[in-house]
Amino acid sequence: MKQRKNGLYPGVSDELAENMTTGWADTELHGLEPIAQAAHTAARRAALSARFPGERLVVPAGNLKTRSNDTEYSFRASTEYAYLTGDQTEDGVLVLEPRGEGHVATIYLLPRSNRENGEFWLSGQGELWVGRRHSLAEAEQLLGIPAEDVRELAGKLSEATGPVRVVRGHDASIEAALTDKVTKERDEELRVFLSEARAVKDEFEIGELQKACDSTARGFEDVVKVLDKAQATSERYIEGTFFLRARVEGNDVGYGSICAAGPHATTLHWVRNDGPVRSGDLLLLDAGVETHTLYTADVTRTLPISGRYTEIQRKIYDAVYEAQEAGIAAVRPGAKYRDFHDASQRVLAEKLVEWGLVEGPVERVIELGLQRRWTLHGTGHMLGMDVHDCAAARTEAYVDGTLEPGMCLTVEPGLYFQADDLTVPEEYRGIGVRIEDDILVTEDGNRNLSAALPRQADEVEAWMASLQQG
């Protein structure tokens, strides 16, 4: 067991070592019910098995990452691993061994800490330090997958024969054991398949995304109620307020919260959140709660800190709202994925021409992409276990694909007028507006999972007033 250089105890006496091995109650749990998504993860593994017959498939959860010295970042299991198992523990590995016409799945995990050799109280990752973990038998009951000791896996894999694929980038020791058995191209095919498999959500996933959106709506309400305290401090108060909701009702935030007040709203990924919050400015809040099962919301509202939009703020806000309405209306089964983006961008281009900020006609503006000086980003993305879900999917299956029921995506147009942009009137400068909702494709159209939060300007003002009076 590794000793700290400046630890206060130089060693362990034989008497203490012996004492620590005895007198502990049996805490093994029996009769555990499977986790809620167990049937769904089994179906996902079956689909994976069918895609790669006769091949060994290795999907690691990942390891703890050092933040500084001997402290680690909070662990978040790889999306592929969590999607296929429902487990979220570090060092875990799912292995599908080819057997007959299919595969046999085994999940490799760290077992309970060994009390005989002192690991449980002397190791920095021992259970006395970091908390109890499930035994292998308990894990089997919960996950519905046979479990074995992960510490034996690298040796087994190094001796394995036959075709193997591994999801890269999560566990260096597992990759090292397979270094002479895998190729980058074949492994990428595995990653692409698992990315595309997540495009259509099952009923469990849709329920989790709705939970994430509902918690996110409550987090936005929390923020509105404390805007006075944020004005007395900084954007950090907004970040901390939303984070509290995320940790109480979920696992974490799904991504770094963007709490951008005033001109910071024109910076797309403003996550420093250290600026002032001033009455009369806008607050662009882009934040999402991640559920305990790792599904995240991704919602943006642009709020008047005073509770009322100014005339120019409302003018810009209404344009973005109109663009979002057009984009949401274009989300339906059978539509091209690009349709919602094109619909939103057309509205924004029309507004920019109407305001005299860019020379028309609109078709010319769109063809040349001239609106992008102020719209900047795409109008949305797939959403799920990753905030930018399905990112490794083939272009023809994603951006150039067709929407299907069960897909979930964001619709998030915006207009951003930089504080130093001399091509626009001074009154526009420093104003950034984005409105973003999480949209589920249904059999007959779409459903806005984040509809609990108002979007239309008058409704936003009334909502804020009701919360601040309560």
Side-chain angles (χ1 to χ4, degrees):
M1 304 303 170
K2 185 178 179 181
Q3 282 285 115
R4 284 185 178 177
K5 181 178 181 181
N6 290 301
L8 293 174
Y9 291 107
V12 177
S13 68
D14 291 342
E15 290 79 4
L16 177 58
E18 175 63 25
N19 177 273
M20 292 296 286
T21 65
T22 61
W24 305 102
D26 180 7
T27 62
E28 183 75 8
L29 304 175
H30 303 278
L32 296 176
E33 294 294 324
I35 58 175
Q37 67 268 46
H40 297 288
T41 56
R44 298 165 194 167
R45 294 192 298 274
L48 176 60
S49 172
R51 172 62 179 81
F52 298 103
E55 302 186 52
R56 180 178 285 103
L57 308 172
V58 182
V59 185
N63 317 121
L64 290 172
K65 291 181 172 60
T66 299
R67 180 179 185 271
S68 179
N69 188 28
D70 59 353
T71 61
E72 293 88 16
Y73 288 104
S74 296
F75 180 73
R76 203 281 196 181
S78 74
T79 292
E80 295 88 353
Y81 174 85
Y83 177 75
L84 292 168
T85 68
D87 182 55
Q88 297 180 35
T89 55
E90 65 266 23
D91 302 326
V93 184
L94 173 70
V95 178
L96 270 63
E97 298 276 355
R99 185 79 55 83
E101 297 182 357
H103 289 80
V104 172
T106 304
I107 192 165
Y108 289 85
L109 302 166
L110 281 174
R112 297 288 309 281
S113 289
N114 189 315
R115 293 177 186 257
E116 293 301 316
N117 67 6
E119 173 197 350
F120 86 105
W121 71 286
L122 292 173
S123 168
Q125 293 302 316
E127 291 182 326
L128 209 61
W129 289 93
V130 299
R132 185 188 190 276
R133 52 181 174 257
H134 286 296
S135 70
L136 298 182
E138 291 168 355
E140 289 186 1
Q141 295 174 66
L142 291 167
L143 304 175
I145 313 171
E148 295 187 19
D149 190 337
V150 71
R151 293 172 296 188
E152 302 171 1
L153 179 59
K156 291 181 179 180
L157 292 178
S158 65
E159 298 173 359
T161 58
V164 184
R165 297 178 193 256
V166 63
V167 177
R168 299 190 179 203
H170 300 299
D171 193 318
S173 65
I174 294 300
E175 290 180 36
L178 294 170
T179 187
D180 59 341
K181 308 176 195 303
V182 295
T183 67
K184 183 178 179 180
E185 292 74 21
R186 286 162 51 79
D187 292 348
E188 181 63 11
E189 288 177 352
L190 172 60
R191 190 170 80 102
V192 168
F193 173 80
L194 289 173
S195 195
E196 293 180 8
R198 300 198 307 275
V200 175
K201 271 60 180 177
D202 59 40
E203 60 184 22
F204 175 84
E205 295 179 290
I206 293 169
E208 289 300 295
L209 286 167
Q210 186 64 70
K211 286 181 188 176
C213 288
D214 292 345
S215 289
T216 298
R218 289 188 284 274
F220 275 66
E221 291 175 354
D222 296 338
V223 167
V224 171
K225 292 175 181 177
V226 300
L227 282 178
D228 57 334
K229 294 182 174 64
Q231 291 180 65
T233 52
S234 75
E235 296 162 338
R236 291 278 174 92
Y237 204 96
I238 294 165
E239 179 183 358
T241 298
F242 187 85
F243 180 68
L244 176 61
R245 178 66 65 172
R247 286 293 281 166
V248 168
E249 295 193 0
N251 177 61
D252 205 330
V253 289
Y255 53 95
S257 299
I258 299 168
C259 308
H264 289 160
T266 65
T267 300
L268 292 186
H269 290 160
W270 178 261
V271 293
R272 299 180 203 170
N273 299 335
D274 58 0
V277 179
R278 299 188 179 101
S279 181
D281 285 345
L282 295 175
L283 167 66
L284 190 157
L285 177 57
D286 183 337
V289 172
E290 177 186 77
T291 67
H292 295 293
T293 57
L294 306 184
Y295 289 84
T296 186
D298 182 7
V299 179
T300 307
R301 291 293 183 268
T302 305
L303 310 173
I305 294 168
S306 69
R308 303 283 294 182
Y309 295 100
T310 66
E311 183 178 351
I312 185 63
Q313 289 170 352
R314 181 181 282 261
K315 174 182 175 179
I316 297 168
Y317 185 93
D318 286 348
V320 175
Y321 172 76
E322 186 177 330
Q324 195 202 26
E325 284 282 273
I328 292 174
V331 175
R332 57 183 178 274
K336 294 296 184 184
Y337 177 85
R338 292 181 180 271
D339 287 353
F340 77 95
H341 168 72
D342 293 342
S344 290
Q345 289 292 300
R346 172 167 288 276
V347 171
L348 295 178
E350 290 170 349
K351 296 296 182 182
L352 293 167
V353 171
E354 177 187 325
W355 298 342
L357 303 185
V358 64
E359 182 180 350
V362 170
E363 285 70 19
R364 168 184 170 271
V365 172
I366 293 174
E367 180 182 357
L368 299 177
L370 302 179
Q371 83 283 1
R372 293 180 60 187
R373 180 182 179 107
W374 303 285
T375 65
L376 298 180
H377 55 81
T379 311
H381 51 79
M382 291 290 192
L383 183 68
M385 297 185 84
D386 287 328
V387 66
H388 296 136
D389 209 26
C390 312
R394 295 166 299 159
T395 300
E396 58 266 31
Y398 190 159
V399 175
D400 292 337
T402 300
L403 296 179
E404 300 177 39
M407 290 182 171
C408 187
L409 53 94
T410 67
V411 178
E412 51 174 312
L415 283 173
Y416 311 91
F417 299 103
Q418 305 302 318
D420 59 351
D421 188 348
L422 302 181
T423 70
V424 300
E426 187 174 357
E427 63 177 351
Y428 287 76
R429 297 173 198 166
I431 295 177
V433 174
R434 179 165 66 252
I435 311 172
E436 177 181 20
D437 285 271
D438 301 343
I439 309 299
L440 173 70
V441 183
T442 62
E443 294 288 345
D444 57 356
N446 68 67
R447 174 158 59 95
N448 185 347
L449 300 180
S450 48
L453 286 171
R455 295 182 295 124
Q456 197 275 334
D458 287 340
E459 294 175 353
V460 169
E461 291 178 343
W463 170 71
M464 292 181 69
S466 68
L467 291 171
Q468 292 169 342
Q469 291 168 3

